[in-house]
Amino acid sequence: MRSIPTIVPALVFTTVVAALLWGWFLRLGGRANRYLPLIVVGLFSSAIVNVFVKGPIGLIVTNVAGVGRALTAWTPVWSLPSPS
């Protein structure tokens, strides 16, 4: 028997919550317009944090670990080789 990948429950939960929130915003009618800029900010905040916060932290970690620039800022920390 195949097991459900662990991402599926999170996917279902997130989709249901997002659908409920969008339905609530649309039901509000004209009052929802003042909240729409917040949604736009939320959409871009993840990319901004990845590029401007996680990127430099990843570069610092690779430099401290002495593994060179072959690893990028998007390489997970747990995949760094152990120092020998």
Side-chain angles (χ1 to χ4, degrees):
M1 183 187 214
R2 299 174 96 185
S3 64
I4 298 174
T6 56
I7 192 70
V8 172
L11 172 71
V12 171
F13 177 77
T14 304
T15 303
V16 169
V17 169
L20 290 173
L21 284 175
W22 274 106
W24 180 64
F25 277 138
L26 293 175
R27 195 180 126 247
L28 287 176
R31 293 182 296 173
N33 291 337
R34 65 181 176 179
Y35 296 114
L36 290 178
L38 295 175
I39 294 172
V40 173
V41 169
L43 288 174
F44 293 109
S45 65
S46 176
I48 290 170
V49 168
N50 284 340
V51 172
F52 294 110
V53 176
K54 291 180 183 178
I57 290 172
L59 289 175
I60 291 169
V61 169
T62 58
N63 287 337
V64 168
V67 293
R69 298 273 182 187
L71 298 173
T72 66
W74 296 274
T75 303
V77 173
W78 57 84
S79 69
L80 293 173
S82 59
S84 35

Short mmCIF file of all heavy atoms in Angstrom, two decimals, residues 44-69:
data_model
loop_
_atom_site.label_atom_id
_atom_site.label_comp_id
_atom_site.label_asym_id
_atom_site.label_seq_id
_atom_site.Cartn_x
_atom_site.Cartn_y
_atom_site.Cartn_z
N PHE A 44 4.92 38.86 -2.49
CA PHE A 44 6.31 39.13 -2.83
C PHE A 44 7.26 39.00 -1.63
O PHE A 44 8.47 38.97 -1.80
CB PHE A 44 6.45 40.52 -3.46
CG PHE A 44 5.79 40.61 -4.79
CD1 PHE A 44 4.63 41.35 -4.95
CD2 PHE A 44 6.31 39.94 -5.88
CE1 PHE A 44 4.02 41.43 -6.18
CE2 PHE A 44 5.69 40.01 -7.12
CZ PHE A 44 4.54 40.76 -7.26
N SER A 45 6.73 38.94 -0.42
CA SER A 45 7.60 38.92 0.75
C SER A 45 8.45 37.65 0.81
O SER A 45 9.60 37.70 1.26
CB SER A 45 6.80 39.08 2.03
OG SER A 45 5.94 37.98 2.22
N SER A 46 7.94 36.54 0.36
CA SER A 46 8.71 35.30 0.39
C SER A 46 9.94 35.40 -0.50
O SER A 46 11.05 35.04 -0.09
CB SER A 46 7.84 34.13 -0.05
OG SER A 46 8.61 32.95 -0.11
N ALA A 47 9.76 35.91 -1.71
CA ALA A 47 10.89 36.06 -2.62
C ALA A 47 11.90 37.07 -2.09
O ALA A 47 13.12 36.87 -2.20
CB ALA A 47 10.40 36.47 -4.00
N ILE A 48 11.41 38.15 -1.50
CA ILE A 48 12.30 39.18 -0.97
C ILE A 48 13.14 38.61 0.17
O ILE A 48 14.35 38.84 0.24
CB ILE A 48 11.48 40.40 -0.51
CG1 ILE A 48 10.90 41.12 -1.73
CG2 ILE A 48 12.32 41.35 0.33
CD1 ILE A 48 9.88 42.18 -1.40
N VAL A 49 12.52 37.86 1.06
CA VAL A 49 13.25 37.25 2.18
C VAL A 49 14.28 36.24 1.65
O VAL A 49 15.42 36.21 2.12
CB VAL A 49 12.28 36.59 3.17
CG1 VAL A 49 13.02 35.71 4.16
CG2 VAL A 49 11.49 37.65 3.90
N ASN A 50 13.90 35.44 0.66
CA ASN A 50 14.84 34.45 0.12
C ASN A 50 16.07 35.12 -0.48
O ASN A 50 17.19 34.65 -0.28
CB ASN A 50 14.16 33.58 -0.93
CG ASN A 50 13.26 32.55 -0.32
OD1 ASN A 50 13.40 32.21 0.84
ND2 ASN A 50 12.33 32.05 -1.10
N VAL A 51 15.87 36.20 -1.23
CA VAL A 51 16.99 36.83 -1.93
C VAL A 51 17.83 37.69 -0.99
O VAL A 51 19.05 37.62 -1.01
CB VAL A 51 16.46 37.67 -3.12
CG1 VAL A 51 17.57 38.49 -3.74
CG2 VAL A 51 15.84 36.75 -4.16
N PHE A 52 17.19 38.51 -0.15
CA PHE A 52 17.93 39.49 0.61
C PHE A 52 18.27 39.07 2.04
O PHE A 52 19.10 39.71 2.68
CB PHE A 52 17.15 40.82 0.65
CG PHE A 52 17.05 41.46 -0.70
CD1 PHE A 52 15.83 41.52 -1.35
CD2 PHE A 52 18.16 41.97 -1.34
CE1 PHE A 52 15.71 42.10 -2.60
CE2 PHE A 52 18.07 42.56 -2.59
CZ PHE A 52 16.84 42.61 -3.22
N VAL A 53 17.66 38.02 2.56
CA VAL A 53 17.99 37.57 3.91
C VAL A 53 18.67 36.20 3.86
O VAL A 53 19.79 36.03 4.34
CB VAL A 53 16.72 37.51 4.80
CG1 VAL A 53 17.04 36.94 6.16
CG2 VAL A 53 16.11 38.89 4.93
N LYS A 54 18.00 35.21 3.26
CA LYS A 54 18.56 33.87 3.23
C LYS A 54 19.80 33.78 2.34
O LYS A 54 20.72 33.01 2.63
CB LYS A 54 17.52 32.87 2.76
CG LYS A 54 16.40 32.65 3.72
CD LYS A 54 15.42 31.64 3.15
CE LYS A 54 14.23 31.43 4.05
NZ LYS A 54 13.30 30.46 3.44
N GLY A 55 19.82 34.54 1.25
CA GLY A 55 20.96 34.51 0.34
C GLY A 55 22.26 34.89 1.02
O GLY A 55 23.23 34.12 1.00
N PRO A 56 22.32 36.08 1.64
CA PRO A 56 23.56 36.45 2.33
C PRO A 56 23.92 35.51 3.48
O PRO A 56 25.10 35.22 3.70
CB PRO A 56 23.26 37.86 2.86
CG PRO A 56 22.24 38.40 1.92
CD PRO A 56 21.39 37.21 1.55
N ILE A 57 22.93 35.02 4.20
CA ILE A 57 23.21 34.06 5.28
C ILE A 57 23.83 32.79 4.71
O ILE A 57 24.79 32.25 5.26
CB ILE A 57 21.94 33.75 6.09
CG1 ILE A 57 21.52 34.98 6.91
CG2 ILE A 57 22.15 32.56 7.01
CD1 ILE A 57 20.18 34.84 7.60
N GLY A 58 23.29 32.32 3.60
CA GLY A 58 23.86 31.13 2.97
C GLY A 58 25.28 31.35 2.51
O GLY A 58 26.14 30.46 2.64
N LEU A 59 25.58 32.53 1.98
CA LEU A 59 26.95 32.81 1.56
C LEU A 59 27.90 32.88 2.75
O LEU A 59 29.03 32.40 2.68
CB LEU A 59 26.99 34.13 0.77
CG LEU A 59 26.36 34.09 -0.60
CD1 LEU A 59 26.36 35.48 -1.23
CD2 LEU A 59 27.07 33.10 -1.50
N ILE A 60 27.44 33.46 3.85
CA ILE A 60 28.27 33.52 5.04
C ILE A 60 28.56 32.11 5.56
O ILE A 60 29.69 31.78 5.91
CB ILE A 60 27.58 34.38 6.13
CG1 ILE A 60 27.58 35.84 5.70
CG2 ILE A 60 28.27 34.21 7.48
CD1 ILE A 60 26.72 36.73 6.57
N VAL A 61 27.54 31.28 5.58
CA VAL A 61 27.71 29.90 6.07
C VAL A 61 28.68 29.14 5.18
O VAL A 61 29.55 28.42 5.68
CB VAL A 61 26.34 29.19 6.16
CG1 VAL A 61 26.52 27.70 6.39
CG2 VAL A 61 25.50 29.81 7.25
N THR A 62 28.57 29.30 3.86
CA THR A 62 29.50 28.58 2.98
C THR A 62 30.93 29.09 3.15
O THR A 62 31.87 28.31 3.07
CB THR A 62 29.08 28.70 1.50
OG1 THR A 62 29.00 30.07 1.13
CG2 THR A 62 27.77 28.01 1.24
N ASN A 63 31.09 30.38 3.38
CA ASN A 63 32.44 30.91 3.61
C ASN A 63 33.01 30.42 4.93
O ASN A 63 34.18 30.05 5.00
CB ASN A 63 32.42 32.44 3.58
CG ASN A 63 32.24 32.99 2.19
OD1 ASN A 63 32.55 32.31 1.21
ND2 ASN A 63 31.73 34.19 2.08
N VAL A 64 32.20 30.41 5.98
CA VAL A 64 32.67 29.94 7.29
C VAL A 64 33.01 28.45 7.22
O VAL A 64 33.99 28.00 7.81
CB VAL A 64 31.60 30.22 8.38
CG1 VAL A 64 31.92 29.50 9.68
CG2 VAL A 64 31.48 31.72 8.61
N ALA A 65 32.21 27.69 6.49
CA ALA A 65 32.46 26.25 6.37
C ALA A 65 33.64 25.95 5.47
O ALA A 65 34.18 24.85 5.49
CB ALA A 65 31.21 25.55 5.84
N GLY A 66 34.06 26.94 4.68
CA GLY A 66 35.22 26.75 3.82
C GLY A 66 34.95 25.83 2.65
O GLY A 66 35.86 25.14 2.20
N VAL A 67 33.74 25.80 2.16
CA VAL A 67 33.42 24.90 1.05
C VAL A 67 33.47 25.59 -0.30
O VAL A 67 33.24 24.97 -1.32
CB VAL A 67 32.03 24.24 1.25
CG1 VAL A 67 32.07 23.31 2.43
CG2 VAL A 67 30.96 25.28 1.41
N GLY A 68 33.78 26.85 -0.33
CA GLY A 68 33.95 27.55 -1.59
C GLY A 68 32.65 28.08 -2.16
O GLY A 68 31.57 27.91 -1.60
N ARG A 69 32.78 28.73 -3.30
CA ARG A 69 31.64 29.38 -3.94
C ARG A 69 30.87 28.45 -4.87
O ARG A 69 29.94 28.88 -5.53
CB ARG A 69 32.10 30.60 -4.74
CG ARG A 69 32.74 31.65 -3.91
CD ARG A 69 31.70 32.55 -3.40
NE ARG A 69 32.33 33.62 -2.62
CZ ARG A 69 31.65 34.48 -1.95
NH1 ARG A 69 30.35 34.44 -1.95
NH2 ARG A 69 32.27 35.40 -1.26
#
